[in-house]
PDB file of all heavy atoms in Angstrom:
ATOM      1  N   LEU A  43     161.198 -52.282-242.448  1.00  0.00           N
ATOM      2  CA  LEU A  43     160.237 -53.091-241.784  1.00  0.00           C
ATOM      3  C   LEU A  43     160.245 -52.869-240.327  1.00  0.00           C
ATOM      4  O   LEU A  43     161.233 -52.390-239.730  1.00  0.00           O
ATOM      5  CB  LEU A  43     160.570 -54.578-241.997  1.00  0.00           C
ATOM      6  CG  LEU A  43     160.613 -55.150-243.426  1.00  0.00           C
ATOM      7  CD1 LEU A  43     161.112 -56.613-243.427  1.00  0.00           C
ATOM      8  CD2 LEU A  43     159.268 -55.027-244.060  1.00  0.00           C
ATOM      9  N   ALA A  49     158.118 -48.170-238.852  1.00  0.00           N
ATOM     10  CA  ALA A  49     156.771 -48.026-238.252  1.00  0.00           C
ATOM     11  C   ALA A  49     156.011 -49.326-238.389  1.00  0.00           C
ATOM     12  O   ALA A  49     156.074 -50.008-239.399  1.00  0.00           O
ATOM     13  CB  ALA A  49     156.054 -46.877-238.953  1.00  0.00           C
ATOM     14  N   LYS A  53     148.820 -51.198-235.509  1.00  0.00           N
ATOM     15  CA  LYS A  53     149.211 -50.587-234.245  1.00  0.00           C
ATOM     16  C   LYS A  53     148.450 -51.121-233.086  1.00  0.00           C
ATOM     17  O   LYS A  53     148.900 -50.959-231.923  1.00  0.00           O
ATOM     18  CB  LYS A  53     149.113 -49.106-234.363  1.00  0.00           C
ATOM     19  CG  LYS A  53     149.970 -48.556-235.564  1.00  0.00           C
ATOM     20  CD  LYS A  53     150.279 -47.127-235.374  1.00  0.00           C
ATOM     21  CE  LYS A  53     151.311 -46.692-236.428  1.00  0.00           C
ATOM     22  NZ  LYS A  53     150.843 -46.727-237.827  1.00  0.00           N
ATOM     23  N   LEU A  89     125.775 -85.356-215.362  1.00  0.00           N
ATOM     24  CA  LEU A  89     125.264 -84.108-216.022  1.00  0.00           C
ATOM     25  C   LEU A  89     125.710 -84.056-217.488  1.00  0.00           C
ATOM     26  O   LEU A  89     124.962 -83.738-218.359  1.00  0.00           O
ATOM     27  CB  LEU A  89     125.718 -82.895-215.224  1.00  0.00           C
ATOM     28  CG  LEU A  89     125.061 -81.580-215.666  1.00  0.00           C
ATOM     29  CD1 LEU A  89     123.528 -81.603-215.347  1.00  0.00           C
ATOM     30  CD2 LEU A  89     125.711 -80.400-214.850  1.00  0.00           C
ATOM     31  N   LYS A  91     126.515 -86.543-219.369  1.00  0.00           N
ATOM     32  CA  LYS A  91     125.842 -87.531-220.150  1.00  0.00           C
ATOM     33  C   LYS A  91     124.425 -87.081-220.507  1.00  0.00           C
ATOM     34  O   LYS A  91     123.897 -87.219-221.637  1.00  0.00           O
ATOM     35  CB  LYS A  91     125.811 -88.887-219.487  1.00  0.00           C
ATOM     36  CG  LYS A  91     127.141 -89.627-219.621  1.00  0.00           C
ATOM     37  CD  LYS A  91     127.310 -90.713-218.609  1.00  0.00           C
ATOM     38  CE  LYS A  91     126.556 -91.965-218.992  1.00  0.00           C
ATOM     39  NZ  LYS A  91     127.054 -93.071-218.154  1.00  0.00           N
ATOM     40  N   ILE A 136     145.498 -88.112-235.703  1.00  0.00           N
ATOM     41  CA  ILE A 136     146.040 -89.456-235.517  1.00  0.00           C
ATOM     42  C   ILE A 136     145.142 -90.293-234.646  1.00  0.00           C
ATOM     43  O   ILE A 136     145.059 -91.510-234.768  1.00  0.00           O
ATOM     44  CB  ILE A 136     147.494 -89.459-234.976  1.00  0.00           C
ATOM     45  CG1 ILE A 136     148.118 -90.771-234.938  1.00  0.00           C
ATOM     46  CG2 ILE A 136     147.596 -88.793-233.618  1.00  0.00           C
ATOM     47  CD1 ILE A 136     148.421 -91.419-236.282  1.00  0.00           C
ATOM     48  N   ILE A 177     133.883 -98.565-241.556  1.00  0.00           N
ATOM     49  CA  ILE A 177     134.255 -97.281-242.160  1.00  0.00           C
ATOM     50  C   ILE A 177     134.268 -96.263-240.986  1.00  0.00           C
ATOM     51  O   ILE A 177     133.304 -96.265-240.200  1.00  0.00           O
ATOM     52  CB  ILE A 177     133.196 -96.869-243.192  1.00  0.00           C
ATOM     53  CG1 ILE A 177     133.036 -97.798-244.324  1.00  0.00           C
ATOM     54  CG2 ILE A 177     133.473 -95.499-243.778  1.00  0.00           C
ATOM     55  CD1 ILE A 177     131.775 -97.648-245.197  1.00  0.00           C
ATOM     56  N   CYS A 228     131.739 -90.993-232.065  1.00  0.00           N
ATOM     57  CA  CYS A 228     132.706 -90.650-231.072  1.00  0.00           C
ATOM     58  C   CYS A 228     132.917 -89.109-231.104  1.00  0.00           C
ATOM     59  O   CYS A 228     133.161 -88.524-232.089  1.00  0.00           O
ATOM     60  CB  CYS A 228     134.042 -91.381-231.338  1.00  0.00           C
ATOM     61  SG  CYS A 228     133.862 -93.099-231.495  1.00  0.00           S
TER      62      CYS A 228
END
Side-chain angles (χ1 to χ4, degrees):
L43 296 179
K53 298 203 173 66
L89 190 64
K91 280 165 83 167
I136 187 67
I177 300 166
C228 305

